[in-house]
Amino acid sequence: MNPDDPLLKILACPLDKGPLHLLSPEEPLVPEESLYNPRLRRRYPVIDGIPQLLPSSGEQVPEDEHEQLLKRMSP
């Protein structure tokens, strides 16, 4: 996926139905491409370009990592 992908505008978190942010593996703390919900602190993997958006696919992000990700997402 890339940041300009129109799919990102319609993808939503399966739990709160809110928008997700694309995280790139080039960023520190991000081992693989993933979609992040900062409201619930949940990260969903993107495997072979396919977002894994089942509630059970998401993982909880620790508080310190969440704070660092928020700083990176801010313009």
Side-chain angles (χ1 to χ4, degrees), residues 14-15 42 44 52-59:
L15 299 176
R42 292 191 62 83
Y44 298 92
Q52 307 299 305
L53 293 176
L54 293 173
S56 61
S57 298
E59 67 177 359

Side-chain angles (χ1 to χ4, degrees), residues 38-71:
R39 298 167 307 283
L40 299 179
R41 295 188 212 148
R42 292 191 62 83
R43 177 175 34 218
Y44 298 92
V46 176
I47 301 173
D48 294 329
I50 301 169
Q52 307 299 305
L53 293 176
L54 293 173
S56 61
S57 298
E59 67 177 359
Q60 196 70 33
V61 171
E63 179 67 31
D64 58 332
E65 186 176 338
H66 169 72
E67 293 298 326
Q68 291 179 344
L69 289 172
L70 283 180
K71 288 177 188 174

Side-chain angles (χ1 to χ4, degrees), residues 2 5 10 13 24 28 35 40 48-49 51-52 58 68 72:
N2 65 52
D5 194 328
I10 61 171
C13 174
S24 166
L35 294 169
L40 299 179
D48 294 329
Q52 307 299 305
Q68 291 179 344
R72 284 179 177 62

Side-chain angles (χ1 to χ4, degrees), residues 21-37:
H21 299 274
L22 181 64
L23 299 177
S24 166
E26 291 87 37
E27 298 177 48
L29 301 174
V30 181
E32 61 188 6
E33 187 174 41
S34 55
L35 294 169
Y36 185 58
N37 177 342

